[in-house]
Structures are given as structure tokens and as C-alpha cells.
Amino acid sequence: MKVAVIGGGIIGLSSAYYLHEAGFEVTVIDKNDFSNNCSYGNAGYVCPSHFVPLATPGIVKQGLKWMWNSRSPFYVQPRLDMSLIKWGLKFMQIATPAHVENSAIPLRDIAILSKKMYEEWNAIPGFSFAYEQKGLLEIFQTDAGAEKCKHLVEKAHELGLTDTLLLNYDQLQAMEPQTKLNAKGAVLFNCDAHLYPNLLMNRLFNLLKDRGVHFVKDTEVVGFEKKGKEITGIKTNKEFYATDAVVMATGSWSRELAAQLDLDILLMPGRGYSITLENSPYKINYPAVLVEGRAALTPMDGNKIRFGGTMEITSTKTPPRMNRVEGLLQAVKGFYPEFDIPVPAIEKVWYGFRPCSADGLPYLGKTGKWNNLVVATGHSMVGLSLGAGTGKLVSELIQDKQPSMDIRPFNPDRFN
Ligand SMILES: Cc1cc2nc3c(=O)[nH]c(=O)nc-3n(C[C@H](O)[C@H](O)[C@H](O)COP(=O)(O)OP(=O)(O)OC[C@H]3O[C@@H](n4cnc5c(N)ncnc54)[C@H](O)[C@@H]3O)c2cc1C
């Protein structure tokens, strides 16, 4: 049986992995050449700690304040676009304390499943990707940040992530003896891991190729051949591909493609930027999220450090904004005062588009309209973390097996 996976990011490749393992003939189609997409330049966190979705009451308030500051970490580019308006209204409507509460268990469960899958992959000979289980720091500078983190620790304990600790300044500084920190304290999430995304993506691509998965590069899917409730073929800007089942893993471009199947997927691209020091003169032991700075940094693959962040709800066609990169580096300097990182030339800055659903939860599952389609997109800030687990769930759905976890909160039809 043939399965076409559209999109060669971490969601598409992970799906291909488990579909191939289940015995399907798998073809992955991408409009690019499988060497860059959002799954490459991200911060590499595999993070059960991220059980709070993007849509929270706090981010709506903060976003409105930040809208006029072009360096701010969260920015919605105002424009008259019906899809943005629909997405924004739903985002604001759903960002309630109850939504945050209801999202915690599904986000935790899919992250834990995914982490287990990454651990299995990392043990496959020749398929290591600098995976490290060290934990993750969330560093705060203000009383408000401390208060927020105290609640986060309580919630983590309630969710069974009991190895989560609140550190005071001295305890935090002792963990990073090689550099000075400007902070009040931190949360240490011992449950989290990190990896080098570029290595993961390259090695996963090569492994799948060696195992016999077909890859079709530089080919854009533009439509579908349909018969009743079945999709029978994929139309591209080049050839036509007959298929028995389809996985839509097209990241930030999923809304437009889903519309070809009469599906209304509320989704916006959320651009983020990263800079990687390949041979860093600065040394850190732990990945860290800077709470008030809304930035992330990760030591990876030996001597590299990657700095990433900012959320810019925009179109995939707008050029990068360097003032956002300046804002990111300024935030890092505010927490790590010894880090003097010059703003790099624009071609040295990586950026990618997070597929942001309207409620911060993935769209993962079958739809009412099509029997042989699985939608797997909208993973927002945590697509890398949830990637391997999503792939496993996709394969179970295509096989009509009982999924490894309750995926009802991820129903792609939930806003229709
Ligand atoms: C700065 C930054 C830091 C981040 N840090 C983390 C982190 O630490 N941990 C974490 O879990 N997540 C992180 N993320 C988020 C994560 O990177 C994304 O959620 C994830 O990469 C999304 O994967 P994807 O496979 O859905 O999309 P993508 O990786 O974007 O892949 C989608 C693919 O679909 C292809 N495609 C689209 N439309 C078509 C079409 N019509 N025809 C053919 N091909 C098509 C595209 O070319 C692309 O290759 C970060 C993101 C950013 C920007």
C-alpha cells in the first residue's frame, strides 16, 4: 500500500519512519530539497516541560503591549487578511485559564511519547544526533518571573514531572560556573533533553533513504485527485503520484494546501530566528529559556551554542527583520552579561516559520471529510519535541490502530 507524505520537516520524516517500519511503500514530497525548513535551525529542545500552549491569557495581554515595539519577542504584523483575522479572533477567544489547564495533559503525554521514541532512535547504530538528557533551565530576573516559575513548578509536580526544582541565584550560578548570570533564579526541568536538529534531520533523511523510502525534492503539491471520500492521487507542479493514503505534514503552508481539500485549518506562520556559534568562545552547561527575554539558548553537538527566539506572526513571504535579531541578542546579553555577540550579517541568520495553530495544540488526526488523509501539522513552538511521537501516531492512524495516547484534543476538525 502506497502512502504519500507531503512535507519533509521533522513531522513528515518521523511519519515516514514509522510508516516504512509498518510496511508501507512511502514517498515523501517536498517543494524544497530536504536541506532546510523550520525543523533545522530550531533550539533542539525535547521538552515535556512545555505543557503550556502558546495561546494563554498572558500572551494576548503581552502581545498587545508589544505590538508597537519592533524589537519585541512577540509581534503580529497587522494586515487586512481574512485568515489572520480568523486565526487571531480564535486565538484570543481560546486563550483562557481553562484552555491552559486542559492542554497540559495532552501536551505532556505526546512529549513523553516522543522523547521515548527519540531515545530509541538515538540507540540505533549510526543514528546518533547529539541527544543529551541534561534538563533545561527557565531563568527569571523579576519578582513576576519568580512567581510565574513557582506556579510552573507546582503544576509540573501535579503533572508527575516531580524532578522539577526551583533554584535560587546561588544554586543557578553554581550550575554555570564558566559564565556570570544576571538573574534571580531558575526552574530546572530534569525531564527535558536536547539534540542537534541539523544532525537529526540529515541522519534521519539518510537512514530513510537507505531503508528504501522514496524522496521527491523541489516538487510542490498543488492539488489532489479525489473519488468520493478518498484521495486517489497527488497533483504537483511536475508529475502526478497515485496513492492509497496521504499524510499532510506541510508545516506553515498547511492552511493553503488543506483548502484544496475543503478543510479549514486555522494556522499562521510564526517566524523565529536563530544564530549558531559553531565554535563558541563562551561555555554553558545547560539549555536555557530566558523567561522575561523570551529567548532560548542551547549548547549543542560539542562546542556549538545556538541562540533562538522571537515570534513574528507574519506571512512566509515577508523578508526577515534584522531588528528582531538585535532584540534577541540584547535579551541574551541581559541574562549572560559576558556574552558579546555581534549582530551577524543577514545571510548568517537562520529563520524558520513555526506552524502556529489557533490554540497552540497540534492538528493531528483524520478529518470527517476524507477517509485516507491524516493531518499532522500546527505543532507551533514544539514541533521538534513532538516530532518522533507524532510520526508514531500518524502511522497508527493510517493503520486504523488504537493510537498510543488519547489524541482527541488534537482533532483537526475541532474548529469546524
Ligand atoms: C527559532 C525557533 C526555535 C525553535 N525551537 C524549538 C525547540 O527547541 N523545540 C521544539 O520542539 N520546537 C522548536 N521550534 C519549532 C519547530 O521547529 C517546529 O514546530 C517544527 O520544525 C515544525 O515542523 P514541521 O515538519 O511541521 O514543519 P517544517 O519543518 O517547516 O516542514 C514542512 C515542510 O513542508 C514543505 N511543504 C510545505 N508545503 C508544501 C507543498 N505544497 N508541497 C510540497 N512541500 C511542501 C516545506 O517545504 C517544508 O519542508 C522552534 C522554531 C523556531 C523558529
Side-chain angles (χ1 to χ4, degrees), residues 166-209:
L166 196 59
L167 309 179
N168 63 28
Y169 172 73
D170 290 334
Q171 291 164 320
L172 168 65
Q173 186 63 74
M175 294 181 69
E176 293 290 9
Q178 300 177 87
T179 191
K180 189 174 155 30
L181 280 162
N182 182 16
K184 259 190 192 312
V187 183
L188 171 62
F189 286 101
N190 279 304
C191 53
D192 286 2
H194 65 280
L195 54 82
Y196 182 31
N198 307 58
L199 197 57
L200 167 70
M201 292 301 291
N202 284 328
R203 293 218 163 137
L204 182 53
F205 175 75
N206 288 328
L207 180 110
L208 293 173
K209 228 173 161 183

Side-chain angles (χ1 to χ4, degrees), residues 132-143:
E132 287 185 77
Q133 163 82 55
K134 273 187 157 181
L136 175 121
L137 293 167
E138 290 212 11
I139 306 180
F140 55 85
Q141 288 183 323
T142 61
D143 289 340

Side-chain angles (χ1 to χ4, degrees), residues 6-12 29-32 36-39 41-45 47 219-221 249-253 257 270-274 308-309 350 352-355 377 379-386:
I6 315 172
I10 187 59
I11 303 301
I29 307 172
D30 201 291
K31 62 190 168 106
N32 292 321
N36 190 18
N37 48 42
C38 196
S39 304
N42 60 68
Y45 297 165
C47 43
T219 299
E220 182 167 359
V221 174
T250 36
S252 283
W253 297 266
L257 194 62
R271 179 161 45 196
Y273 300 80
S274 75
W350 175 89
F353 296 94
R354 305 172 185 91
T377 187
H379 292 71
S380 311
M381 325 258 292
V382 281
L384 190 273
S385 180
L386 309 187

Side-chain angles (χ1 to χ4, degrees), residues 291-302:
V291 173
E292 295 85 355
R294 301 240 172 204
L297 57 165
T298 316
M300 33 174 89
D301 190 33

Side-chain angles (χ1 to χ4, degrees), residues 222-235 240-243 246 260-261 370 372:
V222 293
F224 300 89
E225 185 186 79
K226 309 152 198 165
K227 198 171 173 199
K229 289 186 81 174
E230 304 284 322
I231 301 168
T232 49
I234 309 276
K235 296 176 187 167
F240 173 82
Y241 296 88
T243 191
V246 177
Q260 299 285 331
L261 291 167
W370 305 101
N372 61 343

Side-chain angles (χ1 to χ4, degrees), residues 247-285:
V247 178
M248 189 181 291
T250 36
S252 283
W253 297 266
S254 303
R255 185 181 58 78
E256 291 88 340
L257 194 62
Q260 299 285 331
L261 291 167
D262 300 323
L263 299 172
D264 192 10
I265 301 274
L266 297 185
L267 188 129
M268 275 289 133
R271 179 161 45 196
Y273 300 80
S274 75
I275 294 151
T276 307
L277 301 183
E278 294 292 327
N279 190 11
S280 171
Y282 309 107
K283 306 288 169 225
I284 50 171
N285 291 329

